[in-house]
Amino acid sequence: MPHLINNDSSFSSTQEFLVLQDSPLGPSPDTPSPVESQGSGSGCSSADAHTVIQKTDKLGAELTEPPLGIKFVPTDSENLCGWGSLTPQFTQIFNTPRWVLFFLCVASFLQGMIINGFINTVITSIERRFDLRSYQAGLIASSYDIAACVCLTFVSYFGGTGHKPRWLGWGVLIMALGSLVFALPHFTTPPYQARVPERMGLCSANHTETCVGEEGGLSTYRYVFMLGQFLHGVGATPLYTLGVTYLDENVKSNYAPVYIGIFYTAAIVGPAAGYLLGGFFLNIYTEIDQTTELTPENPLWVGAWWIGFLAGGAAALLIALPLLGYPRQLPGSQRYVAMRVSEAHHLKDGSQLTASDPQFGKTVKDMPRSMLLLLRNPTFIFLCLAGATEATLIAGMSTFGPKFLESQFSLSASEAATWFGYMVVPAGGGGTFLGGYIVKKLNLRCRGIIRFCMLCALVSLMAIFIFLLHCPNVPMAGVTAPYYSSLPQNHYKPGSLTVGCNVGCHCVKDLFNPVCGTDGVMYFSPCHAGCRSINHTYSPRGRQVFTGCSCIVGNVSWGEEGFAEEGKCVSSCNHMPTFLTFFFVVIFFTFLCSIPALTATLRCVPDSQRSFGLGIQWIVVRTLGGIPGPIAFGSVIDISCLLWEEQCGEYGSCYLYHNSAMSQYSLIAGIIYKVLGTLFFLLASVLYQPPPESPQSSCESTDV
C-alpha cells in the first residue's frame, strides 16, 4: 500500500482521534477539497460531528501510521484565527484555505507591483532626479536579490519548522517599511528644478558644459534606495518559500497546483499593474504642488516616481495584519497530510528516510545533513538549474523588454512600458494559472510534470527565433546617416555630430534632446540641427516646432531653411504586430511551466524538507539567474550601442542602439538559455527515481 505521510513536527503532541465517517473504510478519496467546499475549514471543528474514540499523549510511540478513517484535531485552541489570546468569533470565517490564498495573493501582488513593476518603471527617473550613474542604479536593483540570498537559508530552514503565518506577516511588514524608506528621499531633498532654461538647446544660445561632482550632490541618496531595496528583499523572502509550503500543507495534494498557480498568477499580474500605474504616475510632475512648463516628452522631465511606493507600502501594512492572525495549521489540514502519498526521489541507500524523523530539522546541527540530502537528489538539482535558466530570461526580459521595444519600434519610454505591461498580464498571468490547472486536470505525477516542463521549454525555444526579425534604425545625422545640407562646406564625418552647418553653435553632448527634421532625419538636439528659434504659433500633435535649422534642407527654390519637430522620428517599420505575437508565445510558455516546475520540486523532496528545499532553490535561482540575468542581458544590449552619453569625461547610458545587432545578440542569449533549460528538464526526468511504494513505480499511465 502507498506510504502515508504523517510526520509534520508542528502538530501538537496532545491530540484526539476523531472518526470521520461511520464506514469502516474511513473517508472516501473523493472527499471534497477546499476548492469544492469550504466546510472543512470553517472556524473550529464541532465535536458533535464526530465520535471521540480514544485520547492519548503517546501518539508517536504507539502508532507509526494513522488508521484509515481517523482524523487528528488538536485539543487546544491553537488552530483558531486570532492574535494571541484575542480570537474573535467573527474572524473564524476567514480561517479557511481560500481566505489564506486571498491574503497571500494580495501580498504577492503588492510585492510584484512594487519590486518588479515600479522599480523597473521609475529607475530612469530616479537616475535623472538624483544624478545617478547606470551602475549605481544597477546596484540599487541588485540589493533586493542580495538581501534575499542572505536571508533565504535562515528563513526557509527555521521558518519551515516554525509558525509560518507569523513569518509571513512580519515579512510583509518589513516589505512595507522598505517601500516607505524608498520613497523617503523625495521628502528630504529640495524641490526638483530643471537646470536648463528654454533656449539652452538652440543654436543661438551660449553653451557651457558644467560638471556636477558626486561629493555633496544627491547621488549619496543611492544608499537610502539600496536600504529600501534590501528591506524589500528581506520582507519578500518568506512569501515564495513559506507561503507556498503553507498552502501546500493545508489543501488536498492534487489541488495544491491550482492554489499555488493562483498565488503565482497574482505575483505575475502585480508587475503588469506596476508598469501601467508607474507609467501613469510618471506623467505627473514629481513636485505635485508646483507647475512647470516641461512636458513628459522633455528629457529633463521627472515624474512622480514616489507615489507608487507610498501607496504600495500603506497597502502592505494593512495586509500584514490578517496574515499575522492565522494559526500554525488550518482546521482539518491534518486530514490532507495523512492522505498524502510520497513522491520523493528515492536514493539507493534509502537515506532520504532520515527526513521522516519528526525531530529532524528542529536544530541547527541538522542543517548540514538536510543540505546533503538535497544535494544528493539529482532531480532537485537539475530542477534548480532549469529554474535558474528560466529566471535569467525572465529577469532579462522584464528589465530590458521595454527598452528593446522602445529601440526597435521608435516608441517612447511610457509607450514601451505600456505595451510590455499589456503583454505580461495575459501571457504571464494566464500561463502561470493554466500551468497549475493542467497539472491538476491531467493528474500528472512528478515525472510527467517534468516532461510537460520540457515540452513548454521546447515550444518557447522555437518561438524565440522571432528575434531574427528587426526594424532598421531611423536615420540619425552624424551616427547612421550623413548631414544632408545644401551648404558646400558641410562634409560628413562618420561618428561626428559637429559639422559645418552647426560648428558655430558650439553644441554640447550632455543634453540628449532629439528632434525630427522635415527631411526625415533625426538630430541629437535642436542645436545640432542648427535650429535658431522656436515657432510658438505652430505646434502639431502638441510638440514644439523649431525653425531656422541650417542643417535641415528646406524648400531650396525659396531659399528657406528647414523645420524640426520635438521628439524622435516615427519608424515606418510594420513588424511590431508579428513580433509582439511571437514574443507573447515566448512569455506564455515560459510562465506555463513555472508552476509545474515548482510542483515537481515540492514532490521530489521529503515533506519535512519542502520549505528548506524551496529556500535552496530560490538561492540557486537568484545567484545563477535573478542577479546575473539583467547584467548578462544588459551587457549583450550594450554591445549594440551606437551613441553613448558623455558627461565630464565619463560614459553614462546609451542614447541609440543598432537594432540589427541588438536583435542578433538577444537571439543568441535566448537560444543558449532555452537550450540549457530544456536539457536540465530532460536530465531531471531521466534521473528521477520514484519511491518503490509510489504509484509511478508500477504505473506510468499519467506520465504523458
Side-chain angles (χ1 to χ4, degrees):
M1 64 178 290
H3 180 62
L4 298 177
I5 303 300
N6 186 31
N7 54 14
D8 193 336
S9 59
S10 57
F11 288 168
S12 173
S13 61
T14 304
Q15 300 179 343
E16 293 180 358
F17 295 177
L18 302 181
V19 176
L20 295 179
Q21 296 181 359
D22 295 334
S23 169
L25 296 178
S28 169
D30 296 327
T31 301
S33 72
V35 174
E36 299 164 334
S37 173
Q38 284 185 281
S40 62
S42 59
C44 303
S45 301
S46 174
D48 296 337
H50 309 286
T51 305
V52 180
I53 62 172
Q54 184 180 359
K55 183 176 181 180
T56 180
D57 290 329
K58 301 178 181 179
L59 173 64
E62 295 180 5
L63 291 175
T64 58
E65 290 189 1
L68 291 176
I70 299 301
K71 177 182 177 183
F72 303 113
V73 178
T75 56
D76 53 26
S77 60
E78 68 178 17
N79 64 337
L80 292 178
C81 186
W83 301 268
S85 58
L86 181 63
T87 56
Q89 184 63 35
F90 75 91
T91 62
Q92 306 314 312
I93 63 175
F94 301 103
N95 203 15
T96 66
R98 285 186 176 182
W99 278 107
V100 171
L101 177 64
F102 171 77
F103 291 120
L104 286 178
C105 283
V106 175
S108 65
F109 174 86
L110 293 174
Q111 182 273 340
M113 182 179 67
I114 295 170
I115 287 86
N116 299 322
F118 289 152
I119 296 292
N120 293 337
T121 304
V122 308
I123 196 70
T124 54
S125 299
I126 292 175
E127 288 180 12
R128 186 178 303 121
R129 174 67 178 91
F130 295 94
D131 300 324
L132 300 179
R133 306 294 187 208
S134 297
Y135 77 91
Q136 294 170 339
L139 285 175
I140 294 173
S142 298
S143 298
Y144 172 84
D145 291 305
I146 293 173
C149 288
V150 171
C151 300
L152 268 170
T153 303
F154 173 81
V155 171
S156 61
Y157 186 79
F158 292 102
T161 56
H163 197 295
K164 293 184 181 69
R166 291 178 184 171
W167 283 82
L168 289 165
W170 282 107
V172 174
L173 278 176
I174 295 174
M175 188 174 68
L177 179 61
S179 295
L180 300 180
V181 169
F182 202 94
L184 185 62
H186 171 76
F187 302 96
T188 58
T189 54
Y192 173 70
Q193 294 179 347
R195 295 193 297 267
V196 181
E198 177 186 6
R199 297 183 59 82
M200 186 67 178
L202 298 179
C203 180
S204 58
N206 294 322
H207 300 283
T208 56
E209 186 172 0
T210 58
C211 294
V212 180
E214 288 191 19
E215 294 78 9
L218 297 178
S219 63
T220 53
Y221 276 95
R222 66 182 181 272
Y223 298 112
V224 180
F225 292 125
M226 291 174 66
L227 174 61
Q229 274 288 75
F230 194 88
L231 292 174
H232 282 153
V234 173
T237 298
L239 201 55
Y240 298 104
T241 52
L242 305 182
V244 171
T245 53
Y246 189 70
L247 285 175
D248 187 67
E249 292 168 357
N250 288 279
V251 298
K252 199 174 180 180
S253 60
N254 63 324
Y255 279 91
V258 178
Y259 273 77
I260 298 173
I262 296 173
F263 172 62
Y264 269 84
T265 300
I268 301 302
V269 175
Y275 277 109
L276 299 178
L277 288 176
F280 173 77
F281 293 143
L282 289 181
N283 285 325
I284 304 173
Y285 189 57
T286 184
E287 306 295 340
I288 57 177
D289 58 340
Q290 298 181 6
T291 57
T292 179
E293 296 181 356
L294 296 176
T295 62
E297 289 77 18
N298 194 296
L300 300 175
W301 173 273
V302 174
W305 58 270
W306 49 273
I307 296 180
F309 295 99
L310 282 184
L317 284 175
L318 294 177
I319 207 65
L321 185 62
L323 287 175
L324 287 169
Y326 275 99
R328 190 183 293 260
Q329 299 95 24
L330 297 180
S333 62
Q334 303 93 326
R335 170 178 53 178
Y336 304 115
V337 175
M339 294 171 60
R340 184 171 293 133
V341 177
S342 175
E343 297 181 55
H345 175 80
H346 182 70
L347 299 175
K348 292 182 179 180
D349 59 359
S351 56
Q352 79 279 355
L353 297 177
T354 305
S356 301
D357 186 355
Q359 301 301 318
F360 182 76
K362 287 190 174 182
T363 60
V364 180
K365 66 180 182 180
D366 289 332
M367 185 181 292
R369 296 169 60 199
S370 183
M371 178 75 74
L372 182 61
L373 286 176
L374 292 176
L375 294 179
R376 294 182 60 193
N377 188 332
T379 303
F380 173 78
I381 295 298
F382 284 114
L383 284 176
C384 289
L385 294 176
T389 59
E390 296 296 301
T392 303
L393 285 173
I394 293 174
M397 288 178 183
S398 62
T399 304
F400 296 105
K403 178 177 285 190
F404 186 91
L405 297 180
E406 180 181 350
S407 176
Q408 290 288 330
F409 307 109
S410 299
L411 304 176
S412 67
S414 59
E415 288 175 335
T418 302
W419 273 110
F420 196 77
Y422 286 154
M423 280 200 305
V424 169
V425 171
T432 301
F433 174 77
L434 186 61
Y437 178 78
I438 289 176
V439 172
K440 182 263 174 187
K441 190 68 175 178
L442 300 181
N443 195 25
L444 296 177
R445 298 294 181 179
C446 190
R447 180 175 282 125
I449 294 173
I450 299 174
R451 291 175 180 173
F452 174 76
C453 294
M454 184 175 64
L455 178 63
C456 292
L458 281 173
V459 174
S460 58
L461 172 61
M462 296 297 102
I464 209 167
F465 281 92
I466 189 60
F467 280 95
L468 287 172
L469 194 68
H470 67 275
C471 291
N473 283 86
V474 174
M476 182 171 181
V479 181
T480 61
Y483 276 82
Y484 297 102
S485 175
S486 60
L487 299 178
Q489 71 271 23
N490 188 43
H491 300 286
Y492 170 55
K493 299 178 181 179
S496 175
L497 296 176
T498 302
V499 291
C501 63
N502 61 23
V503 67
C505 298
H506 305 289
C507 304
V508 295
K509 290 179 61 177
D510 62 346
L511 175 61
F512 182 57
N513 187 15
V515 295
C516 183
T518 53
D519 54 358
V521 179
M522 187 168 64
Y523 296 84
F524 187 88
S525 70
C527 179
H528 288 85
C531 303
R532 293 178 171 83
S533 60
I534 300 176
N535 189 335
H536 293 282
T537 60
Y538 178 66
S539 58
R541 296 183 294 179
R543 297 183 177 183
Q544 284 184 332
V545 174
F546 302 91
T547 59
C549 304
S550 58
C551 294
I552 303 176
V553 178
N555 192 326
V556 179
S557 62
W558 288 85
E560 68 178 21
E561 295 173 327
F563 295 82
E565 187 181 69
E566 179 186 28
K568 298 179 180 179
C569 294
V570 178
S571 174
S572 59
C573 178
N574 57 1
H575 295 329
M576 186 172 172
T578 304
F579 180 85
L580 291 181
T581 300
F582 280 88
F583 195 54
F584 178 94
V585 174
V586 174
I587 297 177
F588 179 81
F589 279 93
T590 298
F591 282 94
L592 185 64
C593 72
S594 59
I595 297 304
L598 180 66
T599 304
T601 303
L602 290 172
R603 293 188 181 183
C604 76
V605 298
D607 279 20
S608 62
Q609 286 193 294
R610 291 188 173 191
S611 295
F612 188 52
L614 280 185
I616 297 301
Q617 185 181 54
W618 272 107
I619 291 177
V620 174
V621 167
R622 291 185 186 280
T623 54
L624 299 182
I627 295 177
I631 299 174
F633 271 81
S635 300
V636 164
I637 289 178
D638 281 344
I639 296 174
S640 59
C641 183
L642 291 173
L643 183 63
W644 289 94
E645 174 191 10
E646 292 184 41
Q647 187 174 10
C648 305
E650 295 185 11
Y651 287 102
S653 59
C654 183
Y655 287 143
L656 185 68
Y657 294 95
H658 193 289
N659 287 347
S660 176
M662 176 186 281
S663 293
Q664 292 174 5
Y665 294 142
S666 299
L667 174 64
I668 293 173
I671 290 176
I672 291 174
Y673 285 110
K674 278 297 179 182
V675 168
L676 287 175
T678 305
L679 177 62
F680 290 144
F681 280 128
L682 175 62
L683 291 174
S685 175
V686 171
L687 297 177
Y688 173 68
Q689 293 293 331
E693 63 273 13
S694 172
Q696 294 185 87
S697 60
S698 57
C699 179
E700 296 283 347
S701 61
T702 59
D703 285 359
V704 294

